Amino acid sequence: MNHQIDVSSSTAQAEPVEACPEPGRRAQRPPQGERIFSLPIRVYWEGGAGGIVFYANYLKFFERARTEWLRSLGIGQQALREQTGGMFVVSETAVKYHRPARLDDELLVTARLQESGRASLTIAQQAWRKTGGEPELLCEGRIRIGWVSANSMKPERIPGSILETLTY
């Protein structure tokens, strides 16, 4: 079964799109019941040489999608810090680039929880280009985020209520 990616909407949504469990593996359908968040993004001038998106900007796209994914679940970063005294920080990234995005491309950037632990989460992310036919996978990555005390920046356990929200 093929899932179409629609980036015509300006609102973020969770929908079943193709997912890749690890960079380098062929895109495939996510397991049944898996939730994937998607965020439409239009490429403005993010380019470097040759008019293509500079590779580091995909990490910015991924950050935006992760932040909006958390917000869609009622987990606002600022409120989270104020209420719990903790916050998420990126501790590790693994990114594979397949094709470049260009000025004015319509992208769909996805985020899904791949793995959860007591103090960290691994998020699988992808950037797709909307085309006239099948969408094209441009970039995929695994981002590990850790929970730390906002004051000391030392690792701590993720509050149970947050884990419960993310893994329901």
Side-chain angles (χ1 to χ4, degrees):
M1 179 175 175
N2 232 350
H3 295 283
Q4 293 296 316
I5 295 176
D6 180 11
V7 296
S8 60
S9 169
S10 62
T11 58
Q13 55 196 339
E15 62 180 61
V17 296
E18 302 292 313
C20 185
E22 293 186 22
R25 290 197 181 166
R26 187 179 168 100
Q28 56 187 325
R29 266 184 44 218
Q32 183 131 4
E34 186 169 15
R35 296 180 316 156
I36 297 179
F37 178 84
S38 59
L39 179 70
I41 294 177
R42 170 76 67 180
V43 175
Y44 295 103
W45 185 246
E46 328 258 353
I52 62 173
V53 170
F54 182 64
Y55 73 93
N57 286 331
Y58 291 95
L59 291 172
K60 293 178 184 180
F61 299 156
F62 288 170
E63 178 71 28
R64 285 177 56 194
R66 280 193 316 279
T67 299
E68 293 303 323
W69 167 58
L70 291 172
R71 184 174 284 127
S72 77
L73 296 172
I75 304 172
Q77 302 272 9
Q78 186 62 32
L80 192 60
R81 183 177 177 167
E82 291 169 2
Q83 293 168 5
T84 66
M87 61 188 208
F88 287 112
V89 295
V90 173
S91 61
E92 185 178 334
T93 63
V95 181
K96 180 165 176 101
Y97 303 94
H98 299 281
R99 294 177 186 85
R102 298 182 187 278
L103 177 65
D104 210 34
D105 278 350
E106 290 179 277
L107 306 182
L108 188 66
V109 182
T110 65
R112 70 175 175 86
L113 181 62
Q114 183 176 37
E115 192 176 309
S116 64
R118 292 180 179 168
S120 69
L121 305 171
T122 301
I123 314 300
Q125 296 198 254
Q126 296 179 318
W128 295 84
R129 176 182 18 240
K130 181 181 177 183
T131 66
E134 287 293 312
E136 295 176 310
L137 179 61
L138 303 179
C139 182
E140 58 188 324
R142 284 177 294 122
I143 314 297
R144 184 173 181 206
I145 57 176
W147 183 260
V148 298
S149 162
N151 292 329
S152 69
M153 298 303 287
K154 291 184 179 179
E156 294 183 346
R157 286 185 176 200
I158 300 170
S161 60
I162 295 171
L163 280 177
E164 187 175 305
T165 298
L166 295 172
T167 58
Y168 79 90

